Amino acid sequence: MDETDSKHLVVLNKHENEIKRSISEITQCIADLKKLLNSNDVSHVSAYKSRIAEFRRLPPKLTVSLPRFTPQKINKEQIYQQIGSLSALSIKTEEHGYTMDSPGAESSPLPDRPLIDVPRIITDINTEYGESNKLCIVSCLSDDELWTRGQDNMLRLYNLHGKLVKSIQTKSGKTPQDIAVTQSGELVYTDSNDRTVNIVKNTQIQTVIRLQGWYPLYVCSTSSGDLLVVMVTDDKKQAKVVRYSGSTEKQTIQYDDKGQPLYSSDFFPKYISENKNLDICVADYIAGAVVVVNQAGKLRFTYTGPPSTAKKPFNPVSITTDSQGRILTSDLNNHSIHILDQDGQFLRYIDNCHPWDLCVDTRDNLFVAECETGKVKKIQYYM
């Protein structure tokens, strides 16, 4: 029994030390952040990388099985020799089935940021895209850098001065479909040519998902680190959104409560974004609608444009969300951006641009990719 107690104690002490180490690292990180707030050194601020995603995952749950007594048949003549035995100590660890709440969830409300009457263009960012290689997609890596995708096989990272920082060729050597940036700052792209979803780690490309019978089209990274992938079948008769944790499929969203398809089944744009309340928002171009479901995949609402104010039919291309839970979607036909609240109520237009793709940075600055000009406009729309 003393040996059993010692083994238990060693394991429990080790687990306790791991928890204390995590607490110590979090405390040190908080202290470093406080120093950073008071620092005037721009290089230190620029070099800072968040560890929220690392700290959000809890230590493994420890399960200790107590010794179990296994009795033997008692031989009356040998009763003193046949008492029984104890099984060996059994210890196993397993991951928790939950994580800490995301800082973007409803439990962490941010100060209200009212919309301004006239949104203003802060910066025009010139890129090498243009008529021969149109700018299609933009995704914020940080407040200072943007990943882009054109019509060739290259993924390009630009700073806000229009300087090319980095470029990466796709693994297939063909044009990617969509790009996104994870919480940890890694670039993700879908490639319908070889039916893959890939993550770029430094300069290495890792294929995390490979489909059969389906084409991966559009993708976003969630606050929990999952990937949401819009895909259609080879015959273009079905479309769905699938949630992945790494390469593991966790959830499929395809039909409403009446068994009707939620999304149009074609190759036209169906950009996707997760809102701060964990709603999943898809801009369905052919359906002429923004389709929003909750985290469980239940339809919350469908937005088909404000009442009779647009000159042409509403056909949303891209979609993004901000820290206030607002939904922003680009209206290609009417050369405008619609701003909605998280319940689908129309708030206002932004109409001083020709939008294709959209993204917002951590300060809710809006970046608008203009397909024809190859420019990215940085727009302020809040006070």
Side-chain angles (χ1 to χ4, degrees):
M1 291 302 293
D2 289 341
E3 181 182 355
T4 300
D5 288 343
S6 297
K7 289 183 177 179
H8 273 87
L9 192 58
V10 168
V11 173
L12 293 173
N13 283 341
K14 181 181 177 182
H15 194 63
E16 182 183 19
N17 289 337
E18 289 176 356
I19 294 173
K20 287 180 177 178
R21 181 177 57 79
S22 295
I23 293 173
S24 176
E25 288 182 3
I26 292 171
T27 303
Q28 183 60 46
C29 191
I30 292 171
D32 293 342
L33 283 171
K34 289 180 178 178
K35 290 180 181 179
L36 202 60
L37 286 173
N38 296 324
S39 173
N40 294 322
D41 192 332
V42 176
S43 64
H44 289 172
V45 177
S46 300
Y48 170 72
K49 290 187 177 179
S50 173
R51 297 181 65 187
I52 290 176
E54 174 187 344
F55 292 140
R56 191 179 297 144
R57 181 164 292 279
L58 300 175
K61 184 170 63 179
L62 192 65
T63 302
V64 179
S65 299
L66 295 176
R68 183 183 61 214
F69 178 72
T70 304
Q72 302 288 342
K73 290 184 179 180
I74 298 176
N75 186 326
K76 291 183 180 180
E77 297 178 359
Q78 298 179 342
I79 189 169
Y80 297 111
Q81 287 78 28
Q82 298 182 349
I83 300 298
S85 63
L86 287 174
S87 66
L89 176 69
S90 173
I91 300 174
K92 67 177 182 178
T93 61
E94 60 180 288
E95 293 295 326
H96 286 284
Y98 56 89
T99 59
M100 297 292 285
D101 288 338
S102 163
E106 288 180 322
S107 58
S108 306
L110 294 170
D112 182 47
R113 306 184 77 172
L115 299 174
I116 58 177
D117 293 333
V118 181
R120 65 186 189 92
I121 298 174
I122 301 173
T123 309
D124 266 341
I125 304 167
N126 292 306
T127 69
E128 64 186 75
Y129 298 103
E131 189 63 31
S132 61
N133 184 18
K134 293 182 178 180
L135 175 60
C136 300
I137 299 174
V138 62
S139 187
C140 294
L141 172 63
S142 65
D143 292 346
D144 303 307
E145 294 180 327
L146 306 164
W147 277 109
T148 62
R149 190 273 279 182
Q151 294 176 310
D152 59 5
N153 61 0
M154 301 300 294
L155 302 165
R156 296 177 176 87
L157 180 67
Y158 285 93
N159 65 22
L160 300 192
H161 302 292
K163 180 181 178 182
L164 180 63
V165 178
K166 184 190 299 186
S167 60
I168 297 171
Q169 181 176 312
T170 60
K171 202 171 185 179
S172 69
K174 297 181 180 179
T175 305
Q177 186 72 35
D178 192 19
I179 63 174
V181 176
T182 69
Q183 295 289 313
S184 56
E186 293 170 333
L187 178 65
V188 179
Y189 74 88
T190 55
D191 193 330
S192 57
N193 299 286
D194 59 7
R195 303 169 187 263
T196 61
V197 180
N198 306 274
I199 293 183
V200 181
K201 295 180 179 289
N202 297 319
T203 57
Q204 300 299 313
I205 300 175
Q206 299 180 8
T207 298
V208 292
I209 301 164
R210 187 179 295 276
L211 302 178
Q212 292 184 346
W214 295 80
Y215 288 105
L217 298 181
Y218 299 91
V219 63
C220 76
S221 178
T222 70
S223 58
S224 65
D226 294 338
L227 294 178
L228 294 172
V229 183
V230 181
M231 58 184 73
V232 299
T233 51
D234 293 359
D235 58 10
K236 301 180 185 177
K237 291 184 177 180
Q238 296 183 66
K240 63 183 179 180
V241 172
V242 180
R243 181 188 296 271
Y244 288 92
S245 177
S247 301
T248 304
E249 184 175 324
K250 293 174 61 178
Q251 181 187 22
T252 297
I253 303 168
Q254 189 170 5
Y255 302 105
D256 63 18
D257 289 342
K258 297 179 180 179
Q260 296 300 309
L262 287 166
Y263 313 109
S264 63
S265 53
D266 50 63
F267 272 47
F268 285 93
K270 278 177 278 290
Y271 288 82
I272 185 168
S273 181
E274 182 192 58
N275 209 347
K276 64 167 289 188
N277 63 353
L278 305 184
D279 281 352
I280 300 166
C281 311
V282 173
D284 194 327
Y285 178 82
I286 287 297
V290 171
V291 181
V292 177
V293 301
N294 63 17
Q295 187 182 15
K298 184 178 176 62
L299 180 64
R300 286 197 62 225
F301 63 85
T302 299
Y303 171 81
T304 56
S308 65
T309 57
K311 297 178 182 178
K312 297 181 180 179
F314 173 61
N315 288 106
V317 176
S318 180
I319 195 164
T320 190
T321 58
D322 66 14
S323 68
Q324 304 296 301
R326 300 187 188 102
I327 301 168
L328 298 92
T329 185
S330 55
D331 182 351
L332 181 64
N333 287 340
N334 294 287
H335 304 297
S336 63
I337 297 167
H338 299 222
I339 304 180
L340 321 176
D341 68 16
Q342 67 180 14
D343 298 313
Q345 297 300 309
F346 175 78
L347 300 177
R348 64 158 298 128
Y349 289 117
I350 299 176
D351 53 13
N352 53 349
C353 56
H354 293 78
W356 186 267
D357 195 25
L358 311 173
C359 67
V360 295
D361 64 14
T362 61
R363 300 171 184 170
D364 286 342
N365 292 304
L366 175 65
F367 291 86
V368 180
E370 294 189 336
C371 184
E372 298 297 331
T373 66
K375 291 183 178 181
V376 179
K377 294 185 183 294
K378 180 180 180 181
I379 296 177
Q380 181 181 345
Y381 62 95
Y382 57 87
M383 290 187 179

